[in-house]
């Protein structure tokens, strides 16, 4: 009954659903959890006195860099590469493994942050009566002197250590690892799971970099930087962007080149724009129109596609479809997330 904006609606709606699941569990009906919320959702929110139906989706853009180096001696004979040394075991590896095998995003994040703390503790032990934030500042600064951590902060950020402490420790870790109320947050509570998902993605990259330098953990192939990815996407969308929708329920295939493969009517949004960087490693396109043309919305919409002049870029697919009815406006937000193929798992149930 509250006229909420999109972000408050996602956070509060998610929390109310969790409370219902808690009650069902303690009453003995069944135990379950939600899936998919960080990746896609449909909601009706309010802004400037209008009700807006919003379809959100997060889509991966897998990219990777792989290369080989071959060495030859003075006679032109190939020199076999040296054997790759085994990692030096440290207690941090236990928390890392538990994080990677988890089926729960929030539990995965908690274990990964504990693993980071274990790494830093082995590198720069905490002193007696040293506060947590002070120790994190000192230990991360010591690591930063050995490894350039600037790639883990937004472009232009002057103090990467403080950025990491704020974005990871203060904004996420403290809210998920404490159970002293009212300052703590319940698991799956209040925090938008999209934000926790993004924090995990950034944290696992940081962890692998530190573990690789100090404990011999191999990091696989090269990676595309956030700045490089955002530059590539900007050059692609600078040519123009169109977001269209159709009632065609044909499931998407990699070979698709049309919004509607079956020839259903397609409609382009009145306004489609490329917003650029939404979060580190994530770019956003957005479309919006007021629901004045009722004939467009008589049937369920199943495919929502983003195109540039040369090609179809994305296909948002709604298996059950969405019926646009009883709202003042229709909006689509599509986020495109860089996914380095050489990096570890970063997707979990919400």
């Amino acid at each position: 009954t509250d006229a909420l904006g999109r972000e408050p609606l996602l956070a509060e709606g998610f929390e109310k659903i969790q409370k219902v699941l808690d009650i069902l569990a303690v009453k003995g009906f069944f135990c379950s959890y939600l899936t998919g919320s960080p990746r896609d959702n449909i909601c009706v929110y309010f802004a400037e006195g209008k009700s807006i139906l919003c379809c959100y989706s997060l889509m991966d853009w897998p990219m990777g860099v792989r290369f080989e180096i071959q060495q030859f001696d003075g006679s032109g004979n190939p020199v076999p590469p040296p054997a790759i040394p085994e990692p030096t075991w440290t207690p941090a590896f236990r928390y890392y493994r538990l994080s990677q095998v988890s089926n729960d995003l929030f539990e995965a994040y908690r274990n990964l942050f504990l693993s980071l703390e274990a790494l830093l503790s082995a590198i720069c032990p905490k002193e007696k009566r040293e506060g947590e934030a002070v120790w994190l500042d000192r230990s991360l600064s010591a690591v930063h002197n050995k490894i350039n951590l600037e790639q883990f902060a937004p472009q232009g950020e002057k103090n990467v250590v403080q950025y990491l402490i704020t974005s990871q420790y203060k904004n996420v870790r403290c809210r998920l690892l404490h159970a002293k109320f009212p300052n703590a947050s319940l698991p799956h509570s209040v925090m938008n799971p999209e934000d926790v998902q993004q924090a995990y993605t950034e944290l696992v990259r940081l962890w692998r970099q530190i573990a690789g330098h100090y404990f011999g953990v191999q990091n696989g192939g090269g990676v595309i930087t956030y700045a490089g990815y955002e530059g590539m996407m900007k050059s692609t969308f600078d040519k123009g962007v169109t977001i269209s929708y159709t009632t065609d329920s044909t499931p998407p295939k990699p070979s698709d080149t049309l919004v509607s493969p079956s020839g259903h009517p397609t409609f382009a949004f009145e306004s489609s724009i490329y917003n650029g960087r939404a979060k580190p490693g994530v770019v956003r396109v957005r479309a919006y129109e007021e629901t004045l043309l009722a004939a467009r919305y008589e049937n369920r919409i199943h495919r929502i596609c983003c195109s540039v002049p040369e090609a179809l870029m994305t296909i948002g697919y709604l298996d059950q479809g969405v019926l646009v009815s009883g709202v003042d406006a229709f909006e689509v937000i599509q986020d495109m997330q860089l996914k380095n193929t050489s990096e570890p798992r970063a997707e979990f149930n919400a």
Side-chain angles (χ1 to χ4, degrees):
T1 58
D2 297 330
L4 299 175
R6 181 174 177 268
E7 292 301 321
L9 176 66
L10 288 176
E12 293 193 24
F14 192 75
E15 166 64 359
K16 291 184 187 301
I17 294 169
Q18 296 296 341
K19 287 181 177 178
V20 172
L21 292 177
D22 294 342
I23 292 171
L24 291 172
V26 299
K27 291 181 71 173
F29 288 111
F30 64 90
C31 291
S32 187
Y33 53 83
L34 293 180
T35 62
S37 181
R39 185 157 289 279
D40 55 82
N41 52 65
I42 301 172
C43 67
V44 176
Y45 73 93
F46 290 82
E48 299 178 354
K50 295 179 180 177
S51 57
I52 303 168
L53 171 63
C54 178
C55 294
Y56 171 84
S57 56
L58 175 67
M59 303 178 182
D60 288 334
W61 281 79
M63 294 184 179
V65 178
R66 293 194 176 275
F67 57 89
E68 292 182 1
I69 297 175
Q70 192 166 5
Q71 185 177 355
F72 298 87
D73 62 20
S75 302
N77 300 312
V79 178
I84 298 174
E86 289 295 321
T88 303
W89 185 89
T90 179
F93 292 3
R94 181 72 48 82
Y95 294 108
Y96 176 84
R97 176 170 63 86
L98 293 175
S99 171
Q100 284 285 291
V101 300
S102 175
N103 287 322
D104 180 277
L105 168 63
F106 293 80
E107 179 185 356
Y109 182 90
R110 286 193 294 272
N111 275 319
L112 185 60
F113 200 94
L114 289 171
S115 185
L116 175 69
E117 290 181 333
L119 277 184
L120 296 176
S121 181
I123 297 165
C124 190
K126 189 177 178 183
E127 297 175 355
K128 289 184 178 180
R129 291 188 289 275
E130 186 176 26
E132 190 83 7
V134 174
W135 168 69
L136 276 174
D137 189 301
R138 182 170 64 84
S139 59
L140 283 171
S141 296
V143 169
H144 188 35
N145 288 333
K146 298 287 186 180
I147 314 170
N148 188 348
L149 300 180
E150 291 180 1
Q151 62 175 301
F152 302 107
Q155 200 168 13
E157 177 64 48
K158 295 181 179 179
N159 192 327
V160 60
V161 170
Q162 282 304 311
Y163 168 79
L164 291 171
I165 290 173
T166 299
S167 63
Q168 295 287 345
Y169 176 72
K170 295 181 179 178
N171 292 352
V172 185
R173 183 270 189 196
C174 287
R175 299 178 65 185
L176 292 182
L177 269 75
H178 291 166
K180 302 179 183 69
F181 294 91
N183 296 324
S185 291
L186 279 169
H188 303 245
S189 173
V190 180
M191 297 188 69
N192 186 337
E194 293 173 15
D195 296 333
V196 181
Q197 177 67 68
Q198 178 65 28
Y200 188 97
T201 302
E202 295 179 34
L203 186 60
V204 77
R205 293 185 67 223
L206 174 66
W207 190 96
R208 299 285 302 191
Q209 191 77 10
I210 296 173
H213 181 83
Y214 287 95
F215 298 98
V217 173
Q218 297 296 314
N219 284 311
V223 297
I224 308 296
T225 65
Y226 287 161
Y229 170 71
E230 291 161 14
M232 284 188 285
M233 299 304 278
K234 182 179 185 301
S235 65
T236 298
F237 285 106
D238 273 350
K239 302 169 186 176
V241 57
T242 301
I243 298 182
S244 308
Y245 52 91
T246 179
T247 57
D248 189 346
S249 60
T250 304
K253 296 184 295 185
S255 59
D256 280 349
T257 59
L258 300 173
V259 176
S260 172
S262 299
H264 288 221
T266 64
F267 303 100
F269 274 90
E270 295 176 359
S271 171
S272 299
I273 59 172
Y274 174 64
N275 285 133
R277 179 182 180 274
K279 298 173 184 176
V282 179
V283 299
R284 173 170 293 180
V285 292
R286 178 178 178 270
Y288 179 91
E289 66 185 14
E290 296 188 357
T291 54
L292 301 175
L293 302 174
R296 289 189 174 199
Y297 310 119
E298 290 178 350
N299 299 300
R300 289 182 177 272
I301 294 167
H302 288 273
R303 290 167 63 105
I304 303 174
C305 303
C306 172
S307 306
V308 293
E310 294 86 357
L312 189 66
M313 294 288 289
T314 67
I315 303 173
Y317 182 66
L318 305 169
D319 185 22
Q320 302 298 319
V322 61
L323 190 64
V324 181
S325 176
V327 293
D328 300 312
F330 180 30
E331 177 184 51
V332 166
I333 298 173
Q334 290 188 350
D335 283 352
M336 302 173 202
Q337 175 178 255
L338 170 65
K339 186 176 181 65
N340 276 297
T341 54
S342 61
E343 292 189 334
R345 177 192 182 200
E347 295 286 334
F348 304 89
N349 293 324

